[in-house]
Amino acid sequence: CQWNEPTLRDEPTGTKRLCDFEPVRVVKRLKGRVMPHNFLRDYRIRDGFKNRLTTVCDIMKPAPNCGGVIYDFGENTAGIPLIKLKNTTSGQVIHLQFTELSFEGFPDYINVDVYPDGCAQQDIYVCRGAEEEIYSPSFTYHGGRYCYLYGAKTEDVELEFLVIRNDVKRRTAFECSEEISNEIFKTCIRSDESNLHNILTDCPAGEKN
């Protein structure tokens, strides 16, 4: 591809101020559990279904017919993966695709309409070839509960989801005799915490559109 000439911009204005809020830290580690449907033909569209939001079926480019597995971390939150790989080969490519929903064993993106090129919330790791490799991305984070992984055998993978956010201290609590109310409160807290990454966000998955 050709490179364009850079565009000169004015220097930033304003006054520098010390950022004095709590830093982003790993606050929890979630173990991934492999879901039963362990062979996936196409993870970007539903077989035979139309997206309810766009009325078209081929909203994503086809994914490789390479199989793969979905890991379930048990809760919808925000963070980064930590993957440990065994017995890799040089040039082996590992794909990790995060999503909030699953549908009949497939990752489902209907809640955020369309990911433009199928690469949103996806990490791609190229192995160097070793008995053990460990990878975690440095310049992104994802929102979701599920991770579709392909490019490695399940027995050679150990996958965790590192929940990250600004390390704020909770100042409220709630508990009652009705369990559904307790779960709603926990979900509200987790939703707020998932949107604390130096700036307040609306949705750690959808805003990446």
Side-chain angles (χ1 to χ4, degrees), residues 3-9:
W3 292 87
N4 297 322
E5 291 294 322
T7 302
L8 297 179
R9 307 293 296 177

Side-chain angles (χ1 to χ4, degrees), residues 79-194:
I80 54 176
L82 174 64
I83 185 170
K84 297 180 181 179
L85 299 161
K86 297 188 300 183
N87 306 318
T88 61
T89 59
S90 179
Q92 180 181 353
V93 181
I94 312 295
H95 292 252
L96 300 103
Q97 177 73 60
F98 287 84
T99 180
E100 294 184 285
L101 303 174
S102 68
F103 179 81
E104 294 186 351
F106 290 78
D108 192 337
Y109 311 102
I110 196 168
N111 62 313
V112 287
D113 194 1
V114 174
Y115 284 150
D117 57 7
C119 289
Q121 296 224 120
Q122 182 176 161
D123 299 312
I124 301 174
Y125 177 70
V126 181
C127 303
R128 69 177 183 274
E131 290 185 7
E132 182 180 75
E133 296 187 47
I134 300 175
Y135 168 72
S136 190
S138 300
F139 301 105
T140 188
Y141 70 97
H142 307 302
R145 171 174 174 170
Y146 305 99
C147 176
Y148 170 49
L149 183 147
Y150 68 89
K153 298 178 181 178
T154 307
E155 58 267 27
D156 293 333
V157 174
E158 183 180 330
L159 184 63
E160 288 184 286
F161 197 48
L162 307 183
V163 180
I164 62 172
R165 60 167 169 81
N166 287 98
D167 193 17
V168 296
K169 306 304 179 186
R170 187 182 303 183
R171 301 181 64 180
T172 184
F174 173 84
E175 187 174 3
C176 72
S177 59
E178 189 175 13
E179 189 57 30
I180 190 171
S181 297
N182 295 331
E183 291 302 315
I184 290 173
F185 176 76
K186 292 177 184 178
T187 301
C188 292
I189 293 293
R190 188 164 63 245
S191 178
D192 285 345
E193 292 177 342
S194 296

Side-chain angles (χ1 to χ4, degrees), residues 39-42 63-67:
F39 184 79
L40 307 179
R41 289 162 292 164
D42 189 335
N65 186 5
C66 56

